[in-house]
């Protein structure tokens, strides 16, 4: 009987086999390359013949004059993205939930969800044109209002907030659909009872809709803690320039420049390993919090 059950489940295991193979090849095997962080790595000598230097690469990393600012930029941008990525989808989900026409609602969903499928290479080119201080439509509109042109992608004061706003615009459609799905799980009889008691739509949203969404909101908030050090390499790499390094340079772009541009492979690996260790701690913490407050656990 047990053997028969295993044979019935065999197709399901075969379905996940390609995913497991890809994960092992691209996620687990590269972990062995982390030893470079403890070496003065020379590509011609390879991992086994390069000189071991212990924690020197980590000391070099901590002594870098811009490392503190890069770490702060990463946390600052990532936290703002997490906050905006939670608040904006919730608001739009509540607004879409109030729409009566199904066709109009689906149309709006499609429009706001579409940017999620575009890569930052495409969106980067679009945003460079839209936000151009000389010919961009945004600054032309600001000029009509009598506001001086703003160099969104070249001013270090505006650049972090530009990253947050553009990332939110790209991703909030996906979050909106998640929260709309949560709304479908709310018992409709609660709204009927509230209507009979004289509650208007605003009070129904405050006392029924939001409490009904609270479990998924808690879950999404807790799980996002693991992304505190992920400020978005693809977005920053396609939008930043040396003019905004002071506020826009993040850990991932620093690793790219140190490792691939300057060929300091050991230092770049040390910085990446430092980020991975901190992210691992945050992911474990977020999993425990998700289990405690939302009843969700991965392991």
């Amino acid at each position: 009987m047990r053997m028969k059950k295993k044979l019935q489940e065999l197709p399901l295991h075969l379905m996940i086999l390609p995913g497991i193979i890809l994960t092992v090849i691209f996620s687990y095997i590269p972990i062995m390359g982390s030893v470079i962080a403890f070496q003065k790595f020379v590509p011609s000598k390879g991992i086994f013949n390069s000189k071991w230097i212990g924690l020197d690469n980590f000391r070099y990393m901590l002594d870098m004059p811009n490392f503190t600012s890069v770490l702060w930029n990463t946390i600052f941008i990532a936290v703002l993205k997490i906050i905006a990525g939670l608040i904006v989808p919730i608001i739009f989900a509540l607004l879409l939930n109030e729409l009566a026409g199904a066709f109009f609602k689906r149309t709006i969903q499609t429009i706001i969800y579409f940017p999620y499928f575009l890569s930052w290479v495409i969106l980067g080119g679009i945003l460079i044109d839209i936000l151009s201080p000389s010919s961009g439509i945004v600054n032309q509109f600001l000029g009509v209002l009598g506001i001086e042109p703003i160099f969104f992608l070249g001013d270090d004061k505006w650049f972090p907030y530009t990253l947050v706003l553009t990332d939110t615009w790209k991703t909030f459609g996906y979050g909106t659909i998640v929260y709309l799905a949560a709304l479908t799980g709310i018992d409709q009889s609660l709204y009927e009872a509230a209507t009979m008691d004289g509650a208007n739509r605003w009070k129904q949203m405050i006392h029924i809709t939001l409490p009904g969404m609270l479990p998924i909101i808690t879950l999404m908030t807790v799980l996002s803690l693991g992304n505190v050090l992920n400020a978005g390499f693809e977005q920053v790499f396609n939008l930043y320039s040396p003019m905004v390094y002071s506020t826009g340079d993040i850990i991932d772009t620093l690793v790219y420049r140190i490792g691939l541009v300057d060929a300091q492979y050991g230092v770049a690996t040390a910085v990446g390993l430092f980020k991975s260790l901190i992210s691992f701690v945050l992911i474990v913490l977020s999993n425990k919090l998700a289990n405690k407050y939302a009843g969700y656990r991965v392991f």
Side-chain angles (χ1 to χ4, degrees), residues 30-38 269 273:
I31 291 177
M32 295 185 293
S34 298
V35 298
I36 297 174
F38 307 95
T269 305
L273 185 59

Side-chain angles (χ1 to χ4, degrees), residues 227-244:
N227 293 319
V228 168
L229 292 184
N230 292 324
F233 170 77
E234 295 87 354
Q235 179 195 19
V236 178
F237 181 74
N238 283 283
L239 295 179
Y240 84 149
S241 64
M243 293 184 294
V244 295

